[in-house]
Amino acid sequence: MRKKSNSNPNDDVPLIGSSVIPLINKLQDIFSPLGDIDNRLTGLRLPQVAVIGSQSSGKSSVLEALVGRDFLPRGCDICTRRPLVLQLEKCCDDGIGNESFEWGEFGHLPDKRFYEFDAVRREILAETEKEVGVNKGVSDKQIRLKICSPNVLNITLVDLPGITKVPVGDQPSDIEARIRNMIMSYIKQETSIILAVSPANADLANSDALQMAKEVDPTGTRTIGVITKLDIMDKGTDARNFLLGKVIPLRLGYIGVVNRSQEDINNNRSIRQALAHEEQFFRDHHVYRGLSDRCGIPQLAKKLNQILEQHIRNVLPTLKTDLTSHLVAVEKELRSYGEALESKGERGAMLLNILTKYSEAFSAEVDGKSQAMTTKELSGGARIHHIFQSIFVKSLEEVDPCDDLSDEDIRIAIHNATGPRNALFVPEVPFEVLVRRQIARLLDPSLQCLRFVYDELIKISRACESVEMRRFSELRSRLEDVTARFLRDSVKPAERMIINLIDMEMDYINSSHPNFIGGTKAVDMAQSELKAIQEGNDADKVPASMSHKSIATVAKFLNGALPSQVGRPQSDNDRVAAAGVSTTRTWGVTSLFGIRGSSVGNSSKRHAAEVINDIDQAPPVIQLKNPPSVLRPGEAETEYQVEIIVTKLLITSYYDIVRRNIQDLVPKAIMHYLVNHAKRNLLGTFIEKLYRENLFEDLLREQDDVVTQRRVTTEMCHALRQAVETLDEFVADVSTLSSSDSMDALPKRSYLSSNSYSKPSA
């Protein structure tokens, strides 16, 4: 076995991993000013070694031994309360033969170098207390420390707070959950190597570090076990089986180390002396001297260096892809914030550009020419067309104009139209009154259609906000206000036009319309319908004389004669028949007093008082009942049956004519007065209301958070560009390096399949 020097654990270790580990360190330096990049660049995690272990497991001693310096806070309670990202970078001496030239530099103090490591410890304590106070709380905000020394190998580690079980002193009650969540956020990443530190003087099978590592790395392919305090195990026991991976197998194996005791620290025993003691311990121990490749801080440093080197090589292609993807996304976000506006001319040009884009986007949405057209649902002008055809037109077509008119309603209308006289024919008034009422029903759905289209235009206007508008809240608010007011004003003439259309239809009932059914056809249809009714009912329920009389009167109303008499003059017999029909409905007032037949004549003109004087004894006074407040006709149920059918036919025929007109003209009115008017005049309204020099500054004043986001995004974009350029510079180097130069003990494809550190020794 090659003899190692007691002076420096890494003197005889060849300089390996010098190609890509510094690359990761440089990337970390690039991103360190940005804070926690994990929250800002989701999914981006640089390769690193996460050091975990329970309190007093020896984590700090291991890290100090790797550095060769005392620089970490010490104590009996929790000392590491914030993640410490430790970059070890091997560097040459100072050029004058001083091999001990080494220094530390913190990420939050980039221009200050610490040459005294006691000062490094004090700065770690001060920065920790600055974030979490003097109590024993923890924070996930990192402290970044780079140590350059000729006595270290290139390694990047993250020292995490020690796992604790029970709060002690003024520790928070949820300290265990906080620390576990923090540790999990680091070790669950596939790019992290887990350095699980466990003390040998405790039951290794119950090691907290190994248990947490197993949760995220159940196969043990990225976990290295470190067993500390081998020199204080119970006499007669050793950790051979653990180091050989026979108890808890790990693909990357185990390394055993000997720490400085608290007594050594109190006696100011140097790390150099402690390393010499460790070397002597393993050389003299009858069990561990046969496991020299698995024992000692130098072996741990070499192994970490090799594994991290190979690990970085494996993740470099994916890392570059991720960085490039994030760069594209961040550049796009940065473009959304735009450039900061300085001069008045720049503000005016920006405002005009925003107003123009907004108006063009509005027209494109209405016309179906938007570049952001969706394939999941109807949008823009297609929704307006759907409102016209599938909602407005279809709803009107489904309406029966007589669905709210019963036969009794029509019969009462006919009675009311006759006034104090009996109806000799069906008057025009009931038809016109009833059809006007049905036409008036078209107003509400027409106005609803207008309201629906207005709502759609409001939605379209909100979807037309350009990316630049996000920067200017005042402009967006004013633009929305002007658009809404413009559309509301455009609704008014459209509403007046729709009301006028309905009023025009109601004001003149054009019974000469060529599509109107007409009187003759209506009577023929009524006769056919009535005949069907008579055949289906008992004869005594519908008297034939009533139906003939009704048909005659309807025919007189429609055509002036019965269908059989159309085109010829009436004869005397016809006139007599007509008179006979008429007298049958004439109220005979004298019949109330018992005078009939020939008494009708001059006697009918006598006053009632004269008649009463002729009677010797006056009959009892006839007392009439007071008419009820609501009167309904008292005729037989079959009265005006043909007239009712004819009236319904006429109403339906004329309503259909009006409905077709409204279905055609209302959408035209809405398109003309509202939709197309908005497309033509929206930009002009914007320029009139908003494009004023005295409004430029107010409208284009950015929110504070937008200014902040632009600055942060600019910094992130700059860092990502630097990172991508740095990777590009290393691509040629990495591709030409032979893995055999520094990876003889590791597989050439991936350390994940290696068993070099878990194969038991003979």
Side-chain angles (χ1 to χ4, degrees):
M1 182 178 71
R2 174 175 54 83
K3 184 178 179 179
K4 298 180 182 179
S5 171
N6 291 337
S7 62
N8 192 334
N10 296 322
D11 281 346
D12 298 323
V13 179
L15 181 61
I16 58 177
S18 59
S19 59
V20 292
I21 293 179
L23 166 65
I24 297 301
N25 291 343
K26 188 172 182 179
L27 293 179
Q28 289 177 332
D29 291 340
I30 291 172
F31 289 117
S32 60
L34 305 178
D36 187 6
I37 64 171
D38 300 324
N39 293 330
R40 299 172 65 181
L41 296 177
T42 305
L44 180 63
R45 175 78 75 165
L46 299 177
Q48 57 194 1
V49 178
V51 184
I52 66 173
S54 58
Q55 287 186 27
S56 303
S57 62
K59 286 192 306 92
S60 297
S61 296
V62 170
L63 294 176
E64 288 183 334
L66 289 171
V67 176
R69 289 283 191 169
D70 290 308
F71 68 97
L72 293 174
R74 292 279 187 172
C76 58
D77 293 328
I78 180 173
C79 299
T80 303
R81 295 189 285 148
R82 290 175 59 183
L84 176 64
V85 179
L86 182 61
Q87 296 177 350
L88 303 184
E89 186 173 309
K90 188 173 182 66
C91 59
C92 300
D93 56 30
D94 58 357
I96 58 175
N98 184 7
E99 295 182 358
S100 63
F101 177 76
E102 53 191 343
W103 47 268
E105 183 180 81
F106 286 94
H108 60 278
L109 299 172
D111 299 326
K112 183 178 180 180
R113 290 186 176 182
F114 292 78
Y115 295 95
E116 296 294 333
F117 282 84
D118 286 340
V120 172
R121 179 188 296 108
R122 290 193 297 270
E123 182 61 30
I124 293 175
L125 284 172
E127 191 65 18
T128 300
E129 292 178 357
K130 179 181 177 181
E131 180 67 24
V132 296
V134 296
N135 64 5
K136 300 303 180 181
V138 295
S139 169
D140 59 358
K141 189 174 181 180
Q142 296 176 344
I143 298 176
R144 308 188 70 84
L145 173 62
K146 177 191 290 185
I147 294 179
C148 293
S149 171
N151 304 319
V152 299
L153 290 179
N154 294 317
I155 307 171
T156 300
L157 308 104
V158 182
D159 183 22
L160 296 166
I163 305 168
T164 185
K165 294 290 186 180
V166 180
V168 177
D170 58 354
Q171 289 181 347
S173 59
D174 60 343
I175 187 70
E176 179 185 5
R178 290 189 188 182
I179 293 176
R180 285 186 171 270
N181 291 338
M182 187 190 307
I183 293 174
M184 279 295 187
S185 69
Y186 281 85
I187 65 177
K188 70 182 180 181
Q189 304 294 333
E190 291 295 329
T191 56
S192 293
I193 295 174
I194 306 169
L195 187 65
V197 180
S198 306
N201 61 342
D203 187 359
L204 293 176
N206 295 322
S207 167
D208 292 329
L210 290 175
Q211 286 179 354
M212 291 192 69
K214 190 174 182 180
E215 291 181 27
V216 296
D217 182 30
T219 59
T221 54
R222 55 185 180 90
T223 302
I224 307 171
V226 177
I227 303 176
T228 62
K229 305 181 181 181
L230 292 176
D231 56 331
I232 61 174
M233 292 184 70
D234 291 340
K235 291 184 179 181
T237 62
D238 60 69
R240 175 184 175 83
N241 288 337
F242 277 97
L243 293 175
L244 295 176
K246 293 182 178 180
V247 180
I248 302 176
L250 294 177
R251 301 289 292 276
L252 299 181
Y254 291 84
I255 297 292
V257 299
V258 174
N259 303 98
R260 287 186 300 168
S261 64
Q262 188 62 43
E263 182 181 1
D264 294 335
I265 297 172
N266 294 337
N267 294 333
N268 293 323
R269 187 180 188 183
S270 68
I271 292 179
R272 187 181 298 273
Q273 293 172 335
L275 290 173
H277 171 72
E278 179 192 57
E279 183 180 8
Q280 187 65 38
F281 173 80
F282 288 128
R283 184 185 299 118
D284 295 340
H285 199 284
H286 67 285
V287 174
Y288 300 130
R289 65 170 168 243
L291 302 174
S292 59
D293 61 330
R294 301 171 188 270
C295 297
I297 289 295
Q299 289 298 323
L300 176 60
K302 179 180 178 180
K303 186 171 186 176
L304 285 174
N305 177 272
Q306 290 175 329
I307 291 175
L308 187 57
E309 162 84 2
Q310 178 63 26
H311 181 59
I312 293 172
R313 287 177 181 272
N314 291 336
V315 301
L316 268 182
T318 303
L319 178 61
K320 184 177 180 182
T321 301
D322 291 342
L323 286 173
T324 303
S325 299
H326 281 99
L327 177 59
V328 172
V330 172
E331 286 178 338
K332 181 179 179 181
E333 181 183 357
L334 183 60
R335 286 194 297 271
S336 70
Y337 298 124
E339 298 292 336
L341 303 176
E342 301 295 339
S343 66
K344 187 173 293 185
E346 290 177 344
R347 293 191 182 97
M350 172 64 75
L351 179 58
L352 184 60
N353 182 54
I354 291 175
L355 298 179
T356 303
K357 283 186 176 180
Y358 186 95
S359 303
E360 290 175 351
F362 184 90
S363 297
E365 282 285 339
V366 172
D367 295 335
K369 299 177 181 179
S370 173
Q371 297 298 321
M373 182 182 299
T374 178
T375 59
K376 303 300 181 182
E377 60 178 352
L378 295 180
S379 63
R383 290 180 63 90
I384 295 176
H385 180 267
H386 180 82
I387 290 171
F388 286 154
Q389 300 303 319
S390 300
I391 296 179
F392 177 65
V393 171
K394 188 175 181 180
S395 297
L396 295 189
E397 288 177 346
E398 293 175 351
V399 173
D400 181 1
C402 297
D403 59 354
D404 64 333
L405 289 176
S406 65
D407 291 355
E408 184 69 13
D409 294 336
I410 298 175
R411 183 181 298 109
I412 291 175
I414 295 174
H415 275 287
N416 289 336
T418 61
R421 298 170 300 279
N422 198 28
L424 301 179
F425 53 86
V426 178
E428 295 182 9
V429 175
F431 161 70
E432 292 189 358
V433 169
L434 294 177
V435 81
R436 283 193 180 96
R437 191 176 79 172
Q438 300 309 104
I439 293 173
R441 294 175 62 191
L442 297 173
L443 179 61
D444 285 341
S446 300
L447 296 179
Q448 288 178 26
C449 180
L450 173 62
R451 176 58 55 179
F452 290 162
V453 175
Y454 167 79
D455 292 340
E456 289 301 322
L457 293 180
I458 292 294
K459 292 179 183 178
I460 291 174
S461 68
R462 292 171 180 168
C464 293
E465 293 181 356
S466 61
V467 177
E468 294 87 350
M469 287 180 59
R470 300 174 188 171
R471 302 167 53 188
F472 313 113
S473 59
E474 180 64 21
L475 174 60
R476 179 165 53 183
S477 175
R478 293 285 296 274
L479 202 61
E480 290 177 355
D481 182 62
V482 170
T483 303
R485 186 180 294 109
F486 173 81
L487 292 176
R488 284 197 301 270
D489 292 342
S490 301
V491 164
K492 295 177 183 178
E495 187 177 53
R496 286 195 297 269
M497 185 63 188
I498 291 173
I499 294 174
N500 288 337
L501 288 174
I502 302 298
D503 288 345
M504 288 162 53
E505 295 290 354
M506 294 174 60
D507 201 47
Y508 177 61
I509 306 301
N510 182 17
S511 58
S512 300
H513 195 281
N515 294 333
F516 189 50
I517 188 173
T520 303
K521 188 174 182 180
V523 170
D524 292 341
M525 295 175 65
Q527 286 177 324
S528 300
E529 184 172 344
L530 184 61
K531 183 177 181 181
I533 294 174
Q534 289 175 337
E535 291 176 354
N537 295 313
D538 296 334
D540 58 342
K541 292 183 180 179
V542 183
S545 60
M546 183 280 301
S547 58
H548 291 310
K549 176 186 64 176
S550 301
I551 293 172
T553 54
V554 172
K556 289 178 181 179
F557 161 61
L558 294 174
N559 302 307
L562 287 172
S564 59
Q565 296 172 332
V566 175
R568 64 180 179 84
Q570 288 184 329
S571 63
D572 293 339
N573 292 334
D574 294 330
R575 286 191 293 271
V576 172
V581 172
S582 176
T583 55
T584 59
R585 283 197 178 182
T586 301
W587 288 350
V589 178
T590 56
S591 64
L592 296 175
F593 305 99
I595 302 174
R596 288 175 174 80
S598 59
S599 300
V600 177
N602 293 331
S603 61
S604 64
K605 299 179 182 179
R606 298 169 61 193
H607 294 289
E610 296 177 0
V611 177
I612 293 175
N613 291 333
D614 292 344
I615 304 175
D616 295 338
Q617 186 176 358
V621 177
I622 300 175
Q623 186 68 35
L624 299 180
K625 294 181 180 180
N626 292 327
S629 58
V630 178
L631 276 173
R632 294 186 180 276
E635 296 187 19
E637 183 180 353
T638 57
E639 185 69 22
Y640 298 127
Q641 192 166 10
V642 173
E643 292 89 330
I644 291 171
I645 297 174
V646 171
T647 302
K648 285 185 176 182
L649 291 173
L650 297 178
I651 291 174
T652 301
S653 175
Y654 196 79
Y655 173 85
D656 286 341
I657 295 172
V658 176
R659 174 182 55 79
R660 291 188 184 95
N661 292 340
I662 297 302
Q663 287 175 340
D664 179 57
L665 293 177
V666 167
K668 288 180 178 179
I670 295 174
M671 288 298 298
H672 175 72
Y673 287 102
L674 180 59
V675 180
N676 292 333
H677 176 70
K679 288 168 53 181
R680 288 189 295 264
N681 300 294
L682 189 58
L683 178 58
T685 302
F686 287 157
I687 293 176
E688 177 186 355
K689 302 292 185 181
L690 300 177
Y691 192 73
R692 299 177 182 177
E693 190 171 328
N694 61 331
L695 297 177
F696 288 173
E697 185 174 352
D698 291 338
L699 294 178
L700 299 181
R701 182 182 295 113
E702 293 181 305
Q703 294 179 324
D704 293 339
D705 59 339
V706 173
V707 176
T708 302
Q709 285 297 326
R710 183 194 292 111
R711 177 181 55 79
V712 171
T713 307
T714 301
E715 294 173 355
M716 180 66 70
C717 190
H718 178 68
L720 285 169
R721 288 193 186 114
Q722 275 189 300
V724 172
E725 291 172 2
T726 301
L727 281 177
D728 289 339
E729 292 173 0
F730 274 82
V731 166
D733 245 1
V734 173
S735 62
T736 56
L737 283 174
S738 172
S739 60
S740 62
D741 294 339
S742 57
M743 301 300 297
D744 293 336
L746 296 175
K748 294 183 179 182
R749 292 183 60 82
S750 172
Y751 77 91
L752 297 180
S753 61
S754 172
N755 58 3
S756 300
Y757 299 101
S758 60
K759 183 177 180 181
S761 299

